[in-house]
Amino acid sequence: MKPISRPVPLSPQHRPDVLAPASGMVSFFPKFLQLAVLHFVLGFVLYLFRPGLPTAYAFAVAVAGLYVIAGKDPRRLAFILIYIAGAEIVWRMTKADVFWEFGKYLTVGLILLGILRWRLHLSALGMMYFALLLPSIFLTLNWLSASLAQDAISFNLSGPLALAFCAIYFQNIKLDKHIITRLLLVGILPVFSVSALTLRGIVASEQIVFNLNSNFATSGGYGPNQVSAILGLGALLCILYMFIARPTGFSGLVMLGMTLLFVVQSILTFSRGGVYNLIVALPLTIFYLMRRRLSSRQRLPIFLLVFLTVLSFFIIDINAFTGGALFERFQDLNSTGRLELFLIDIQIWLQNPWLGVGVGVSPIYHPLFGGIESAAHTEYSRVLAEHGILGIGSLLILGFLCIRAFFRSRNNLARGFLAGTSLWSLAEMAHSAMRISAISIVFSLSLAMLDLDEQELRDPVP
């Protein structure tokens, strides 16, 4: 199998229609609107016919991935992967009859088949990042029974495994502006199903009690942390789309409305993670977008002013709806035990600096240092406690990949895209470890060869 040293983009005449430039953009946004409505309705339907229909939905996505791999263009797989990033939460919310890490292993399986099908180049850094995490498995096998060790290893290493494979895949493909705009729209689609499920939870609840905790009723009955994160991701994808595709007229208003919808619903979950991710990702993203040509510098402040003004009115109304609990919740700086677990993980690492205590073993140590027996919520401290100095090496590789991608970026538009995707992922890892596949997929998007020239690309008014 001869590896390909660099991605080779297809000539325009051989590009599939889904990747076609200019002319293809004319018709795609109206199709996106139809698909967005369909996915919103799909959220309600999946809930009504769970778990059978959600299970069929999950396997349909897998079949679609296999169909794409049977083709000749490796870039098509990127659309399936970014779709999985949001669909995974839909499967979990509707109790699809698939195992918990299905989204991550589906991502890995599809990319592995893609590597074999298209003979993609194997990134040494991607493989090394994951290889450094493997030696601690032997400590896990020494601590836990075979079944418990299998669960612990799968729960903690499926995310890094998916990230390693995503890094390998995206470093093999070139993404131009037309492909990226469609990728962003495809990534938004399953977020509409999450939005519908959270709305159903609010409507179906006879009484919603708001306090200083995350709210399951406003999160569709599922984990507020993950729901909030995906809704926040949907808002980020909308914002990136608006400043890459620069939609005008009705389509621009629609994207602005979608952004507000996702942000408001993320706030309503009372899980601060989804909002904090945006707070971390957007400033640097906006900084580089502001450094674009004069037309962009003029457009961006107008957008921000309109967005923040409308959002402020929504927040005031939401705070009144919650009896003032919203402001109290976001003024509360309590880390809900995350900071305590972080500090305990550091202590565990200092006592076991070389290989750590083993994958998934740190929860056993937490009570010994005055904490609770809980899985780590911060990937960085978990890696230190469970993998030791080798874990530090894996984190340094992630940092190097980000820095290298930054310096390879040709212009401020590419740097803005890179900042948004990488910082969102790194922020999510800080408070939710690697519990969702979106982290691996969105982080690796920035590692692709980005061909984002700063010429105008306007999405026509539908």
Side-chain angles (χ1 to χ4, degrees):
M1 182 174 69
K2 183 179 179 181
I4 299 176
S5 57
R6 60 167 57 180
V8 182
L10 300 178
S11 59
Q13 62 267 29
H14 291 103
R15 289 183 180 180
D17 180 67
V18 71
L19 303 177
S23 60
M25 289 298 297
V26 174
S27 60
F28 189 73
F29 195 85
K31 293 179 181 177
F32 162 73
L33 290 180
Q34 296 170 9
L35 290 171
V37 172
L38 177 63
H39 277 77
F40 193 79
V41 174
L42 179 64
F44 293 102
V45 175
L46 289 172
Y47 184 84
L48 291 175
F49 296 96
R50 65 189 190 281
L53 188 59
T55 304
Y57 171 44
F59 283 105
V61 174
V63 171
L66 294 176
Y67 175 79
V68 165
I69 292 171
K72 296 182 179 180
D73 193 338
R75 294 172 300 175
R76 282 180 174 267
L77 181 57
F79 292 88
I80 301 296
L81 297 180
I82 199 168
Y83 188 86
I84 291 173
E88 177 186 51
I89 304 303
V90 179
W91 301 333
R92 292 179 179 180
M93 293 178 75
T94 54
K95 303 187 187 310
D97 193 15
V98 294
F99 58 94
W100 183 256
E101 307 294 350
F102 179 77
K104 297 174 188 175
Y105 286 114
L106 176 59
T107 297
V108 171
L110 291 176
I111 293 176
L112 179 59
L113 292 175
I115 291 173
L116 299 175
R117 170 70 175 86
W118 299 306
R119 300 185 178 183
L120 302 181
H121 172 66
L122 297 179
S123 165
L125 287 176
M127 293 187 292
M128 188 180 301
Y129 157 75
F130 185 69
L132 289 174
L133 302 178
L134 295 178
S136 294
I137 290 178
F138 295 103
L139 297 177
T140 304
L141 296 174
N142 183 55
W143 265 97
L144 305 176
S145 64
S147 60
L148 291 177
Q150 179 181 347
D151 292 341
I153 293 168
S154 176
F155 180 78
N156 291 284
L157 290 190
S158 56
L161 177 64
L163 195 156
F165 272 82
C166 286
I168 291 171
Y169 166 72
F170 278 104
Q171 288 182 82
N172 274 274
I173 63 174
K174 181 178 181 179
L175 302 177
D176 61 31
K177 188 180 294 186
H178 297 277
I179 299 174
I180 285 181
T181 52
R182 292 193 170 194
L183 272 175
L184 294 173
L185 293 179
V186 171
I188 293 168
L189 290 177
V191 183
F192 273 100
S193 297
V194 176
S195 174
L197 289 165
T198 58
L199 179 61
R200 186 217 63 82
I202 295 173
V203 174
S205 299
E206 296 181 0
Q207 182 180 8
I208 303 177
V209 178
F210 294 100
N211 48 40
L212 297 184
N213 298 315
S214 299
N215 197 300
F216 280 80
T218 57
S219 305
Y222 183 68
N225 195 303
Q226 296 181 28
V227 173
S228 172
I230 291 301
L231 289 169
L233 175 60
L236 174 65
L237 297 182
C238 288
I239 293 171
L240 290 174
Y241 177 83
M242 282 190 282
F243 291 101
I244 294 177
R246 294 176 60 87
T248 59
F250 176 70
S251 54
L253 291 175
V254 168
M255 294 305 297
L256 179 61
M258 291 177 182
T259 307
L260 287 168
L261 171 66
F262 295 148
V263 170
V264 167
Q265 288 191 298
S266 180
I267 292 172
L268 262 177
T269 65
F270 270 48
S271 176
R272 297 162 296 184
V275 178
Y276 288 168
N277 291 347
L278 287 177
I279 292 175
V280 170
L282 287 181
L284 194 58
T285 301
I286 291 173
F287 171 76
Y288 282 110
L289 292 174
M290 286 285 287
R291 296 182 65 183
R292 295 177 62 196
R293 60 178 61 188
L294 181 60
S295 62
S296 297
R297 293 199 298 269
Q298 293 173 338
R299 180 187 178 95
L300 187 53
I302 296 174
F303 161 76
L304 290 176
L305 179 62
V306 173
F307 177 78
L308 293 176
T309 300
V310 176
L311 180 61
S312 64
F313 284 111
F314 274 111
I315 291 177
I316 292 173
D317 289 338
I318 294 172
N319 187 57
F321 172 68
T322 62
L326 177 68
F327 285 178
E328 291 185 33
R329 170 62 172 166
F330 280 86
Q331 289 172 359
D332 181 15
L333 299 180
N334 183 7
S335 65
T336 60
R338 286 174 172 80
L339 178 59
E340 290 77 9
L341 288 178
F342 175 87
L343 296 175
I344 288 174
D345 281 340
I346 298 300
Q347 294 181 59
I348 296 173
W349 170 60
L350 291 175
Q351 293 190 6
N352 304 271
W354 300 111
L355 292 178
V357 295
V359 183
V361 177
S362 62
I364 300 176
Y365 277 77
H366 289 162
L368 302 179
F369 291 86
I372 61 174
E373 187 171 340
S374 171
H377 287 267
T378 303
E379 179 68 6
Y380 311 114
S381 63
R382 184 202 70 80
V383 166
L384 289 176
E386 298 183 358
H387 302 275
I389 197 169
L390 295 181
I392 295 178
S394 71
L395 294 177
L396 290 176
I397 289 175
L398 287 186
F400 175 77
L401 288 173
C402 285
I403 294 172
R404 186 177 68 174
F406 176 84
F407 284 106
R408 284 182 175 180
S409 301
R410 298 181 179 179
N411 53 44
N412 291 317
L413 183 58
R415 295 187 187 104
F417 178 82
L418 185 151
T421 53
S422 58
L423 288 177
W424 181 91
S425 305
L426 294 174
E428 179 68 8
M429 290 169 63
H431 60 79
S432 192
M434 298 193 71
R435 284 166 170 73
I436 57 177
S437 62
I439 295 173
S440 305
I441 297 166
V442 175
F443 176 87
S444 301
L445 269 175
S446 61
L447 304 181
M449 293 182 62
L450 301 177
D451 183 17
L452 291 175
D453 63 81
E454 297 197 6
Q455 295 179 357
E456 300 295 332
L457 173 63
R458 293 188 179 276
D459 198 15
V461 179

